């Protein structure tokens, strides 16, 4: 009996593949937020690249394509023992990109090709900043041999699922709408990137705001005011203070500190703040949370990969 309990415990620990028990905090059967990857450019073996799935009525909407996202989604799909019907990989048909940084886009070929290989039979619809059209064309060109081989070799593949309709977002406001979601894009300041976007998803029962990579932004205040969930990037201020002047300058112009995020949350008062894309630099998630708690007393969670909210 004891051995059986131990085996069960180890299985739960290993279930996420990241050495921690998978955590389901979700309160809705209609809308689930799945943290596919909470990572940064630093290749932590415990975090996949930056990517979030918002699943509404079993339909997935992906935000950002960090490396690993397709396998992370598969981990929670019924095909591999998970419970989220909307994460069957062939169901991935809609995706949104915050900006073109590689830690948010190196999963893009995987997002285009793998769902097709397992049966997606219509084009992927992608919404993102200026430059997404060219990136899409270049990826399809890079994989032209694979696509041709699958289409015209001995393995049958449909001639739709590899295609991508990419849409460049040029102005703030509603960029997508269907029976499950309204998606608004808002510009965020991220260093010298000419176009970086945050997104607000309004579903039948929840409002979810995703910051993308950004310094503190008035727009995030505006869009996150009263939201149910604010998913926001952050860095650990104490470790930042010990960095060289060069790196302090870079991060101050590109990212948001714990204290700055506390001010945003204090102003916007979302129901829940979910931290992702956390730059810890040797600190811990507890360190982040305690810095934020100095300025904000609401609910804040440091996300782990495959968390469900
Ligand atoms: Zn990033
Ligand atoms: Zn970035």
């Amino acid at each position: 009996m004891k051995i059986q309990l131990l085996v069960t415990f180890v299985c739960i620990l290993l279930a996420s593949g990241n050495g921690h028990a998978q955590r389901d905090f979700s309160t809705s059967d209609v809308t689930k937020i799945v943290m596919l990857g909470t990572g940064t450019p630093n290749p932590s073996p415990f975090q996949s690249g930056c990517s979030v799935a918002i699943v509404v009525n079993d339909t997935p909407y992906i935000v950002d394509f960090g490396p690993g996202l397709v396998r992370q989604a598969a981990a929670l799909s019924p095909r591999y023992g998970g419970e989220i019907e909307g994460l069957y990989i062939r169901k991935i048909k809609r995706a949104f990109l915050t900006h073109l940084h590689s830690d948010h886009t190196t999963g893009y070929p995987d997002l285009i090709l793998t769902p097709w290989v397992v049966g997606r039979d219509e084009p992927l619809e992608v919404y993102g900043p200026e430059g997404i059209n060219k990136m899409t064309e270049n990826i399809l060109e890079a994989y032209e041999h694979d696509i041709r081989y699958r289409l015209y070799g001995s393995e049958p593949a449909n001639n739709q699922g590899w295609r991508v309709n990419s849409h460049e977002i040029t102005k703030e406001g509603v960029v997508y709408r269907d029976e499950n979601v309204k998606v608004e894009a808002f510009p965020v300041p991220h260093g010298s990137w000419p176009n970086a976007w945050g997104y607000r998803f309004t579903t039948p029962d929840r409002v979810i705001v995703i910051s993308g990579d950004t310094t503190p932004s008035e727009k995030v205040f505006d869009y996150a005011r009263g939201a149910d969930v604010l998913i926001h990037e952050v860095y650990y201020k104490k470790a930042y203070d010990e960095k060289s002047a060069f790196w302090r300058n870079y991060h101050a112009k590109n990212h948001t500190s714990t204290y700055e995020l506390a001010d945003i949350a204090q102003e916007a008062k979302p129901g829940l703040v979910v931290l992702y894309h956390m730059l810890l630099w040797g600190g811990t998630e507890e360190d982040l949370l305690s810095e934020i708690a100095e300025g904000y007393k609401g609910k804040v969670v440091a996300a782990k990969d495959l968390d469900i909210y």
Side-chain angles (χ1 to χ4, degrees):
M1 186 62 185
K2 269 185 188 160
I3 289 174
Q4 199 178 1
L5 274 176
L6 183 66
V7 168
T8 308
F9 179 64
V10 170
C11 286
I12 291 170
L13 274 182
L14 295 177
S16 72
N18 290 331
H20 65 80
Q22 205 238 303
R23 309 187 302 180
D24 185 347
F25 300 98
S26 63
T27 53
S28 163
D29 288 334
V30 175
T31 305
K32 292 190 186 292
I33 302 165
V34 182
M35 305 304 291
L36 298 179
T38 59
T40 66
N42 303 316
S44 160
F46 307 110
Q47 292 171 308
S48 221
C50 195
S51 184
V52 179
I54 295 173
V55 182
V56 187
N57 292 321
D58 291 332
T59 303
Y61 303 85
I62 303 292
V63 180
D64 282 342
F65 331 137
L69 87 151
V70 174
R71 271 148 221 263
Q72 292 287 85
L76 294 186
S77 74
R79 172 75 176 78
Y80 294 98
E83 292 183 349
I84 300 190
E85 294 275 333
L87 291 179
Y88 273 116
I89 296 307
R90 66 173 184 277
K91 287 189 157 194
I92 296 176
K93 296 172 183 175
R94 305 280 181 272
F96 300 82
L97 181 67
T98 59
H99 64 300
L100 292 164
H101 249 153
S102 60
D103 55 312
H104 299 250
T105 52
T106 49
Y108 193 22
D110 201 11
L111 179 68
I112 295 172
L113 296 165
T114 306
W116 169 52
V117 169
V118 297
R120 183 180 63 215
D121 58 3
E122 56 187 273
L124 179 69
E125 300 288 336
V126 172
Y127 300 79
E130 201 174 319
I132 188 69
N133 288 352
K134 186 157 186 228
M135 180 180 269
T136 304
E137 282 166 27
N138 287 338
I139 289 171
L140 290 174
E141 195 179 333
Y143 283 89
E144 67 178 333
H145 292 282
D146 172 84
I147 293 166
R148 200 179 307 138
Y149 191 85
R150 290 181 194 281
L151 284 176
Y152 305 114
S154 53
E155 53 188 331
N158 71 71
N159 198 359
Q160 287 300 318
W162 62 273
R163 297 171 194 270
V164 184
N165 295 321
S166 62
H167 310 266
E168 293 191 340
I169 299 169
T170 52
K171 67 177 200 301
E172 180 178 354
V174 177
V175 294
Y176 179 83
R177 193 195 289 267
D178 66 17
E179 66 277 18
N180 295 315
V181 291
K182 175 176 79 175
V183 184
E184 293 157 281
F186 53 92
V188 291
H190 182 39
S192 54
W193 281 101
N195 293 291
W197 300 97
Y199 291 103
R200 177 163 71 183
F201 282 70
T202 303
T203 77
D205 64 342
R206 298 174 95 185
V207 174
I208 301 152
V209 173
I210 299 180
S211 70
D213 286 8
T214 182
T215 51
S217 155
E218 285 292 323
K219 291 287 181 191
V220 175
F221 283 131
D222 293 345
Y223 279 82
R225 193 165 284 127
D228 295 290
V229 182
L230 170 61
I231 301 169
H232 205 291
E233 67 121 273
V234 69
Y235 66 80
Y236 178 34
K237 179 66 163 56
K238 181 160 179 273
Y240 165 92
D241 288 339
E242 289 158 12
K243 291 200 162 288
S244 67
F246 175 87
W247 280 111
R248 284 202 307 274
N249 179 52
Y250 172 81
H251 289 297
K253 287 184 174 144
N254 283 270
H255 297 296
T256 302
S257 77
T258 46
Y259 297 111
E260 291 165 337
L261 179 53
D263 289 344
I264 292 167
Q266 187 60 33
E267 175 80 13
K269 294 199 167 44
L272 173 68
V273 177
V274 176
L275 309 179
Y276 81 147
H277 201 289
M278 292 166 270
L279 291 162
L280 293 169
W281 301 313
T284 64
E285 291 168 1
E286 287 68 35
D287 293 330
L288 280 185
L289 292 169
S290 64
E291 284 190 347
I292 292 170
E294 288 178 37
Y296 179 62
K297 302 299 177 206
K299 273 196 284 183
V300 185
V301 182
K304 293 185 187 299
D305 279 23
L306 301 184
D307 276 0
I308 305 169
Y309 294 95

